[in-house]
Structure formats: structure tokens, C-alpha cells
Amino acid sequence: SAVRVINGQVGKWLVDRGISESKIKLVPAFYIDLEIFKPMNLEKKYDMIFVGRRARNKGIELFEKAGRDLKTLIVDGWARDSHDVAQLINQSRILVMPSYNEGGPRVVLEALACNVPVLATPVGIVPEVLPKEWIIDWSVDDIVAKARRILENPPMTNLRAIAEPFEKKAAIKNYAEEIIKVIHF
């Protein structure tokens, strides 16, 4: 019987190389702590936030240019731990993740768990978890246009529900169970 491919990009890449879809099963190996990443009802101090290393693949230059186009003050900072990250996300109206490549990315799920909308490029699991209108291309103009839309009309939906399947204990249990199934296949 066919196995559902969780990550469309990886699955397509494998199928394009001759692997039968019935032989593909991708199980995400990441999780989030919903006790840390949760809505905190904090004052929104930032229109947009970028969370990540200052590495070339993270697309930070796109975020910075979009911020300048939106005439937003860009503040560079450092988070000590996950608690700091959760607080900063909760103080923001939108998380922007313009990466060129990613494994997860976990930060997208962390922001959704905090009920903060996300604009992200179609890397990793992004196409499977975000609404199409929140997926950005690697263009400053696209980031600016979509950020303006969200800032002017914030979503009134429970974004946390998207992140809940990745809750730490359940995700680790699911990962272990799926690995056992593969071993006994």
C-alpha cells in the first residue's frame, strides 16, 4: 500500500529519481516544547522578527531589506535560551523566515505555537504547515507585500493548532514508533 509522503519536496525529489512512492516515508525528527512556546499575551513591540543565526543560508539580507522597505527599525539582539525566544516571538506581529534551505525549520512551528503568523520560504515542512498565502519567494517585494497584508489584517485563527502535532513527547513517541515500523518492515 502507498505511504503518504509528509514532505512534498523531499518526496518529489526521490520519486523523480526513480524511487517508488510506496517506499517513501518521511518522519519529522524535530519537536517543540508547547510549555515554553505558547501565547503569552504580551505587548507587541515588533512588527516583524527574524530568529536564527546570521548565516548566509538564512536569508537575513532579505529580512533586513524588507524591514527597511517597510520603514521598520531593525534591532539586532541575542536570545539566551528558548524562554527568551518565546518571549520575543510573542512580542512580535509576524515571524519572517526567508531561508534558502532548512531541515525543519523548528522556528516556524515555535511561532505558530505562540499564535504568531509566519511568512516563510517553501523549505523543509513549510509547504505542509503554512497557508499558501504565507509562503514567500526569495523576493523583498513579496515579503513586504505579504507582511503588509498581515499587519493590516491579522489572522483571527488558532495557529497553535498547526504546531500541536509536533509537541515534544508526542513527536518523540511518534518518531520512535515509525522507526520501529521501518525496522520491522
Side-chain angles (χ1 to χ4, degrees), residues 99-177:
S99 292
Y100 295 103
N101 55 49
E102 284 287 344
R106 184 186 313 247
V107 72
V108 166
L109 296 171
E110 291 169 345
L112 293 170
C114 294
N115 214 39
V116 171
V118 176
L119 292 177
T121 50
V123 296
I125 64 161
V126 168
E128 282 78 29
V129 298
L130 285 187
K132 287 186 187 332
E133 61 271 16
W134 291 1
I135 296 177
I136 52 175
D137 60 25
W138 294 270
S139 146
V140 172
D141 292 340
D142 193 39
I143 296 169
V144 169
K146 290 178 179 174
R148 278 194 177 123
R149 246 180 265 141
I150 291 173
L151 290 170
E152 291 168 2
N153 190 18
M156 299 307 227
T157 185
N158 178 14
L159 301 176
R160 185 173 170 85
I162 299 170
E164 286 174 349
F166 298 93
E167 184 275 326
K168 186 167 137 176
K169 289 178 185 168
I172 292 170
K173 181 178 184 265
N174 178 59
Y175 184 76
E177 288 171 353

Side-chain angles (χ1 to χ4, degrees), residues 29 36 38 49 60-62 88 112 125-126 136 164:
I36 295 173
K38 60 187 176 190
I49 188 170
I60 184 82
E61 78 285 353
L62 296 171
L88 288 165
L112 293 170
I125 64 161
V126 168
I136 52 175
E164 286 174 349

Side-chain angles (χ1 to χ4, degrees), residues 1-7 11 15 20-27 178 182 185:
S1 65
V3 175
R4 181 175 175 265
V5 177
I6 295 171
N7 186 310
V15 169
S20 167
E21 192 168 332
S22 66
K23 301 286 184 188
I24 301 170
K25 178 133 189 181
L26 181 66
V27 181
E178 292 299 330
V182 170
F185 184 64

Side-chain angles (χ1 to χ4, degrees), residues 16-47:
D16 288 350
R17 279 147 187 83
I19 307 293
S20 167
E21 192 168 332
S22 66
K23 301 286 184 188
I24 301 170
K25 178 133 189 181
L26 181 66
V27 181
F30 51 89
Y31 54 83
I32 58 172
D33 188 333
L34 294 178
E35 293 298 313
I36 295 173
F37 294 94
K38 60 187 176 190
M40 296 177 188
N41 299 317
L42 299 176
E43 176 190 349
K44 300 294 186 181
K45 296 181 179 180
Y46 313 106
D47 285 337

